[in-house]
Amino acid sequence: MDELETLPISRAQFQKLDIFKNVAFESLAGYLLGCKTITVEPGTLLIDPNQPKRRLLILLDGLLQVVMKSQGGSFSDNILPGHCAGEMSIFDNVKPSAQVFAKEKSTLLVIDAGTALAMLNASHDLCLNFLQLLSSRLRNNNKVVCEEEYHIRCIEENAKADSLTGLHNRRWLEEMYTRELKRSNEGDFHLSAFMLDIDHFKNINDTFGHIAGDQVLIAIAKCITNCLRPSDMPVRYGGEEFTVFLPNTTSENAKIIAERLRSCVEKMQIALSSGEVISVTVSVGFTERQQGDTVESIIKRADDALYYAKESGRNRVCLNLGEDSMFLF
């Protein structure tokens, strides 16, 4: 019997496989004599990190799925005919890092680790093919990692934004206000803080409904953004309350900004989805950073000023300089 007739794959099959592109059939035919082909059913586990068996699997027909699990989740990819699995454990002589399943009924050429290394030593072109394969997979993995990092960043940013108003939320405040206050304390920079509350907001919800209340919150948030500078840091603090950090801002300049904001809201005509148009007002309390302030202490002073403004008739601006020094404007 002709020796070639005992090979697990024919010359025609060999030449169709991407992994053997530009490789002379005769240069590897002797190595293939000790190899075999297998046909497996869908779901068959072919490579398992828990049962390491170093071998190269070349897919002749069908579809394989690679599944890698880690503490951060799982990643999966497909292996198409002409490509292989198991090569990494052969190259670096460690157990496989991923599971490989037959996704469809599949036919594979099975090459043991020793034979695979001998074939690589015998064929320069085969080495180049493996390098191209590994380079392609590395490039694809880098793309997946970059896309995953992008999605993670998007999720993190969304988790720090108020879904209704688009302003930052308390979670963002804890991180960024702490950072900004530390910078201001260390450099002895001016920093002012606002607390702002919509006057009689409960009456709006009771009279026009919560959807109308949401529309008012959105309008106020837009007004806040329009009245502030790009460097200012507005946050929806909760309910109808908002807070703002104003870096490099003295209390004198903060007063001008607070009054501009109060006046902007007072002049607004908010069209509700019901067709009605309403007006609202806000009260603003503000203060300037003092040496040794924490985020909690500076917001507390601004909140005390807000309370004083509301107790003094609402639609007012109040400055708190500490030690019960309140000034209404």
Side-chain angles (χ1 to χ4, degrees), residues 59-328:
L59 183 61
L60 304 178
D61 184 58
L63 184 66
L64 303 183
Q65 182 179 36
V66 181
V67 178
M68 181 177 291
K69 297 180 179 179
S70 67
Q71 291 182 346
S74 62
F75 166 78
S76 66
D77 197 10
N78 292 329
I79 296 177
L80 302 175
H83 293 273
C84 61
E87 73 284 345
M88 291 302 297
S89 61
I90 292 175
F91 295 153
D92 55 21
N93 195 27
V94 297
K95 70 177 185 178
S97 58
Q99 292 180 318
V100 178
F101 297 89
K103 201 169 183 180
E104 301 174 357
K105 186 173 182 178
S106 303
T107 302
L108 305 104
L109 173 64
V110 181
I111 305 174
D112 66 71
T115 302
L117 290 173
M119 292 169 70
L120 288 167
N121 286 326
S123 174
H124 176 73
D125 288 323
L126 182 60
C127 288
L128 287 177
N129 290 344
F130 270 106
L131 284 174
Q132 289 176 354
L133 171 67
L134 294 175
S135 176
S136 174
R137 288 182 178 173
L138 179 60
R139 189 180 300 112
N140 182 63
N141 287 344
N142 287 340
K143 181 181 178 183
V144 170
V145 168
C146 289
E147 289 177 349
E148 192 67 21
E149 288 179 347
Y150 170 75
H151 289 309
I152 290 172
R153 287 197 300 272
C154 288
I155 291 170
E156 289 177 343
E157 287 304 311
N158 287 335
K160 296 175 183 178
D162 176 55
S163 59
L164 178 65
T165 64
L167 297 180
H168 295 297
N169 61 17
R170 292 281 288 273
R171 181 177 176 184
W172 183 89
L173 176 154
E174 291 170 3
E175 176 183 341
M176 297 304 295
Y177 277 21
T178 300
R179 184 182 304 175
E180 182 55 39
L181 189 59
K182 182 175 184 291
R183 186 188 77 88
S184 296
N185 279 331
E186 290 178 350
D188 197 23
F189 301 129
H190 290 292
L191 171 70
S192 292
F194 287 177
M195 281 295 292
L196 178 149
D197 183 89
I198 303 173
D199 297 326
H200 302 296
F201 185 71
K202 183 177 184 301
N203 292 344
I204 297 171
N205 279 331
D206 292 344
T207 304
F208 301 101
H210 289 280
I211 293 177
D214 287 348
Q215 291 177 290
V216 169
L217 288 167
I218 293 169
I220 297 295
K222 185 176 181 181
C223 183
I224 291 173
T225 302
N226 291 339
C227 289
L228 297 178
R229 304 160 301 182
S231 60
D232 295 332
M233 307 162 72
V235 167
R236 184 182 177 194
Y237 197 72
E240 68 273 25
E241 281 192 316
F242 301 84
T243 183
V244 185
F245 260 24
L246 301 97
N248 304 310
T249 305
T250 63
S251 56
E252 291 82 2
N253 290 331
K255 172 184 174 294
I256 296 171
I257 298 171
E259 178 56 32
R260 181 170 67 226
L261 177 54
R262 185 207 62 77
S263 177
C264 173
V265 173
E266 185 180 36
K267 294 174 182 177
M268 278 198 312
Q269 297 291 298
I270 303 174
L272 304 180
S273 56
S274 62
E276 296 173 275
V277 177
I278 64 171
S279 298
V280 298
T281 61
V282 294
S283 299
V284 183
F286 70 102
T287 189
E288 188 173 351
R289 179 192 64 82
Q290 298 175 359
Q291 193 61 39
D293 258 335
T294 64
V295 172
E296 292 75 16
S297 66
I298 191 172
I299 288 181
K300 175 65 167 57
R301 280 203 313 279
D303 195 47
D304 289 343
L306 170 63
Y307 180 81
Y308 193 84
K310 295 182 80 69
E311 286 294 301
S312 301
R314 295 184 171 83
N315 194 22
R316 303 289 298 272
V317 171
C318 179
L319 167 64
N320 183 359
L321 291 179
E323 298 181 355
D324 297 324
S325 298
M326 299 287 189
F327 298 89
L328 284 168

Side-chain angles (χ1 to χ4, degrees), residues 4-24:
L4 293 181
E5 294 180 4
T6 65
L7 291 173
I9 59 173
S10 66
R11 180 193 296 269
Q13 287 177 303
F14 181 94
Q15 293 173 339
K16 288 181 180 179
L17 298 172
D18 290 342
I19 199 66
F20 293 133
K21 180 182 178 183
N22 298 324
V23 178

